[in-house]
Amino acid sequence: MERDAGRSMFDTDELVINMGPQHPATHGVLRVVLKLDGEKVVDADVVIGYLHRGVEKLTENRDWTQIVLLTDRLDYVASAAANLAYVETVEKLMSIEVPRRARYVRTILAELQRLASHLVWLGSHAMDIGAITVFLYCLRERELILDLFEEYCGARLTYNSMRIGGLPQDVPSGWLPKVLRFCDVQEEKLAEYETLLTHNRIWLQRTRGIGAITGQAAIAVGLCGPSLRGSGVPRDVRKDEPYAAYDEIPFDIAVGANGDTYDRYLVRLEEMRQSMRIVRQAVEGLPEGPVMAKVPRLIKPPAGETYHANESPKGEIGFFIASDGRSTSPYRLRVRPPSFCNLQALPQLVRGHLVADVIAIIGTIDIVLGEVDR
Amino acid sequence: MIDLIVLPLIKIVFVLTGVLITVMYLVLLERKVQAWVQARLGPMRVGPHGVLQPIADVVKLFVKEDVTPVRAEKWVFTLAPIIVLVPSLIAFAVIPFGPEVNLFGRPVPLYITDLNVGLLYIVSVAAIGVYGIILGGWSSNSKYPLLGSLRSSAQLISYELAVTLTFVSVILAAGSLSMVQIVEAQHANGVWFAFVQPVALFIYGVGALAETNRNPFDLPEAESELVAGFHTEYSGMRFALFFLAEYTNMIVVSAVATTLFFGGWLRPFPNVEWLSFLGLVPAWIWFTLKTFALLYVFLWIRATLPRYRYDQLMQLGWKWLIPLAIANIVVTAAVKVILGS
């Protein structure tokens, strides 16, 4: 009674709003139940599961090679990253030595994929904040990457571009110069996006100090990938537990300082630059040789279990697999999806901000619902 | 009799059709300009380069089902789009498209009427539109529209203040409230008020963007946050009325800006003799050109800038624009007194 004395004059009530599952800015079928006090967010509740397809269970009835195709459908804007993480996990369990050339091409594909994914992120994030043009510019450049992938493996979205033990085929002739040319184009265009956003007063006002999280808190809540690095934690699987050819190629980890939306934006932009740097070096240092290791026709890993993680564009994507050593399909496969782990930071990030910021924050943690729900 | 009823009626019909057609094509122009900025083509399918697109759009909107939500307040729900549209249309009554011309041996002024308080009339008429937005959002009986309409009413009211204050400094400079006399004052002055009152022009420009709910102030209909803002529940022709009103408002604010700051129907440098060949172009064409140039700025800004957040927008309005506008009035008045004495 005492406590409410100040409020008794006006009958105030929290407004509960459903954002999604059909909402233009939740990047898929995400539902966020917002409790609002005026326009201020008191609490947020994330409801997921609208895109659940049971991928993990499905794998138990597919043989090991077929599962590559299912991993395409996790993070559908970065299929190659999931492909890579999965095949490397199986290779780890089977102790397959992948040829050096294959590791280099994998690195190129993974980094191109990172660029494509970050472009989609930048575009949709900017569009959520109202800058429509950036979205179209970003997708224009992403198209070039898709063309490169199409030339390599025939597909534009779900690539199925890796095989256990190597790659389905060597790079087509004339492909590598195209990759380098793309890097040059992209370099220019990145500067173009930056003129539209980086020093734009409105952009700064909309992103600085929004959804800030300290490094400690970010680790505690399980953030990963660029969202974690935005808070100044230099954790990158590519450096910490190198895979593919990352141990042979020098690159820098981009880290932010304040852990807000603006820093995460800068981190991802820098990451795109680093990706181009990696691609250029990988193309130039590409060794000759086979692209496929000697693997049995029927993949049947020995009994056992293992976990292996990669740095996908969204963060740390890991696969845990268990094989019983007898059947040709996994006994259990579990994905550690970066989007899912990042999404759980959302309520914490949006509390105390305004409705408009919720959109910015959903954009900045860069989720893909295909991966959240699996 | 003819001067009192027939002539104004003919002019009203002309202006109304002109405005509505302009609105239709403004939508196409917006899509085209945005497309060009964004390195794509825009509408290309309906007619050559999509020139018939507006007609297809209108047909589509007419045949769409007009849904009224079950729990909506039907009467208000129907009324709201009309309240929004009508004021923006009748604002054209005082906008001078040109001076008096001789048509069929009869002097015909190229404006519907020249109120001696024309500017005041525009301000008051424009203020009515807010009611439609509030009522539309409220009567939908739904949360997103309600939030959207609350936002937009707060936004419109605060920016109307800033815009109206800039009018005061223009009035001081022109010495009249009549739109026609403001243009003539610029003729006598020799320069457009854009150069006399740059601060007022700037504030008016920002305020105009906010008043017409255009990017970067398009919060009431921030697609990514509130789905569609106050008109979320509207569909079919009633939605079209809101849409029409928004674009009509854009034309109104551009036309008013042309009149107040860019010399209305006057050719550029109206007093420079050797440029008199520019006078061969009819006055109303100059007016249209200037208005469209301003409209282009609207579209250009929309394609470039992100969106402000609600509280930032209020801050900009109350903490910067309104004090600046008041200071501008004081300076204008002081200069006028000093020059006059």
Side-chain angles (χ1 to χ4, degrees), chain B:
Chain B
M1 180 67 191
I2 287 183
D3 278 342
L4 210 63
I5 295 173
V6 178
L7 208 57
L9 267 182
I10 293 173
K11 282 195 279 194
I12 288 171
V13 169
F14 254 92
V15 169
L16 265 187
T17 11
V19 167
L20 290 180
I21 291 173
T22 318
V23 167
M24 275 164 65
Y25 275 88
L26 185 58
V27 177
L28 178 68
L29 185 73
E30 162 154 39
R31 292 176 64 181
K32 278 289 188 188
V33 168
Q34 274 210 24
W36 292 328
V37 171
Q38 293 161 352
R40 54 195 177 91
L41 289 172
M44 288 295 279
R45 291 305 172 100
V46 192
H49 287 265
V51 287
L52 298 178
Q53 184 70 40
I55 294 161
D57 285 346
V58 169
V59 170
K60 184 196 79 177
L61 284 168
F62 263 113
V63 298
K64 273 226 162 167
E65 190 189 352
D66 193 356
V67 184
T68 310
V70 180
R71 291 174 63 196
E73 198 80 24
K74 288 212 176 51
W75 167 223
V76 184
F77 190 76
T78 317
L79 195 64
I82 301 169
I83 299 182
V84 175
L85 178 63
V86 171
S88 53
L89 284 177
I90 57 177
F92 281 101
V94 294
I95 287 175
F97 300 95
E100 262 190 9
V101 290
N102 264 313
L103 270 182
F104 313 113
R106 172 188 290 282
V108 181
L110 286 182
Y111 37 84
I112 295 171
T113 175
D114 177 24
L115 284 181
N116 56 358
V117 288
L119 211 45
L120 214 54
Y121 167 82
I122 287 189
V123 171
S124 39
V125 159
I128 300 174
V130 187
Y131 285 101
I133 290 174
I134 301 178
L135 291 177
W138 172 79
S139 64
S140 307
N141 214 341
S142 166
K143 287 172 188 169
Y144 280 117
L146 185 65
L147 269 180
S149 69
L150 287 179
R151 275 179 169 198
S152 67
S153 45
Q155 175 183 337
L156 294 190
I157 290 168
S158 38
Y159 277 85
E160 232 162 52
L161 269 174
V163 165
T164 312
L165 287 174
T166 66
F167 287 169
V168 176
S169 47
V170 172
I171 294 165
L172 279 174
S176 168
L177 276 162
S178 144
M179 300 290 269
V180 175
Q181 272 164 35
I182 288 173
V183 174
E184 273 156 9
Q186 295 180 66
H187 197 176
N189 214 351
V191 280
W192 294 347
F193 282 159
F195 303 111
V196 182
Q197 290 284 350
V199 181
L201 174 63
F202 169 74
I203 299 168
Y204 180 83
V206 177
L209 283 173
E211 266 213 276
T212 49
N213 295 337
R214 298 288 301 181
N215 198 292
F217 306 102
D218 55 346
L219 302 185
E221 42 197 291
E223 279 165 31
S224 48
E225 300 155 35
L226 298 177
V227 190
F230 58 86
H231 56 57
T232 306
E233 303 288 348
Y234 281 87
S235 58
M237 212 46 217
R238 269 183 280 198
F239 162 72
L241 291 185
F242 276 124
F243 202 64
L244 214 62
E246 184 185 328
Y247 283 82
T248 316
N249 271 328
M250 271 168 70
I251 302 177
V252 172
V253 295
S254 306
V256 170
T258 307
T259 314
L260 297 190
F261 296 106
F262 295 100
W265 69 76
L266 300 175
R267 65 182 167 86
F269 309 104
N271 296 334
V272 180
E273 270 309 313
W274 62 272
L275 278 172
S276 59
F277 65 91
L278 288 174
L280 292 176
V281 179
W284 62 273
I285 289 194
W286 279 121
F287 182 85
T288 319
L289 280 180
K290 288 174 188 174
T291 309
F292 267 92
L294 293 180
L295 284 172
Y296 176 76
V297 176
F298 269 81
L299 309 181
W300 182 15
I301 289 175
R302 163 132 196 229
T304 314
L305 291 180
R307 179 184 301 122
Y308 265 109
R309 206 175 59 203
Y310 179 65
D311 58 321
Q312 295 165 346
L313 166 124
M314 294 308 252
Q315 263 182 17
L316 182 74
W318 288 98
K319 288 196 183 159
W320 293 99
L321 293 187
I322 292 177
L324 196 62
I326 293 174
N328 190 41
I329 293 174
V330 174
V331 172
T332 311
V335 169
K336 204 173 156 101
V337 168
I338 292 164
L339 287 185
S341 62

Side-chain angles (χ1 to χ4, degrees), chain A residues 16 18 39 129 133 137 205, chain B residues 37 143-144 151 303 307 312:
Chain A
V16 178
N18 244 323
E39 286 230 8
I129 298 183
T133 302
Y137 284 178
Q205 284 189 17
Chain B
V37 171
K143 287 172 188 169
Y144 280 117
R151 275 179 169 198
R307 179 184 301 122
Q312 295 165 346

Side-chain angles (χ1 to χ4, degrees), chain A residues 40-178:
Chain A
K40 206 168 171 190
V41 180
V42 180
D43 203 3
D45 200 3
V46 181
V47 184
I48 59 170
Y50 292 94
L51 207 61
H52 180 73
R53 291 145 299 166
V55 168
E56 287 174 7
K57 189 71 188 167
L58 274 174
T59 61
E60 292 170 20
N61 293 311
R62 300 283 185 282
D63 59 39
W64 292 93
T65 39
Q66 288 174 327
I67 295 169
V68 182
L69 196 131
L70 283 172
T71 62
D72 275 337
R73 274 111 185 127
L74 293 175
D75 177 357
Y76 39 75
V77 298
S79 318
N83 290 163
L84 181 59
Y86 168 71
V87 296
E88 285 200 335
T89 315
V90 181
E91 284 156 8
K92 189 175 167 192
L93 190 60
M94 295 176 73
S95 318
I96 297 172
E97 185 66 36
V98 181
R100 195 150 164 264
R101 185 176 174 87
R103 288 195 283 123
Y104 266 76
V105 176
R106 280 178 176 186
T107 310
I108 297 173
L109 291 177
E111 288 310 311
L112 284 177
Q113 185 68 84
R114 187 182 316 279
L115 272 167
S117 170
H118 278 4
L119 283 173
V120 173
W121 161 79
L122 176 60
S124 47
H125 184 40
M127 187 161 70
D128 288 344
I129 298 183
I132 327 162
T133 302
V134 180
F135 176 72
L136 284 136
Y137 284 178
C138 286
L139 286 206
R140 178 183 65 189
E141 270 73 69
R142 174 176 178 254
E143 200 68 12
L144 300 175
I145 303 181
L146 297 192
D147 287 344
L148 288 174
F149 268 102
E150 189 179 13
E151 199 178 334
Y152 174 68
C153 63
R156 292 170 63 81
L157 191 69
T158 49
Y159 306 121
N160 194 10
S161 58
M162 312 273 173
R163 295 291 180 271
I164 296 166
L167 295 161
Q169 72 250 345
D170 205 344
V171 292
S173 63
W175 190 73
L176 294 170
K178 278 185 198 160

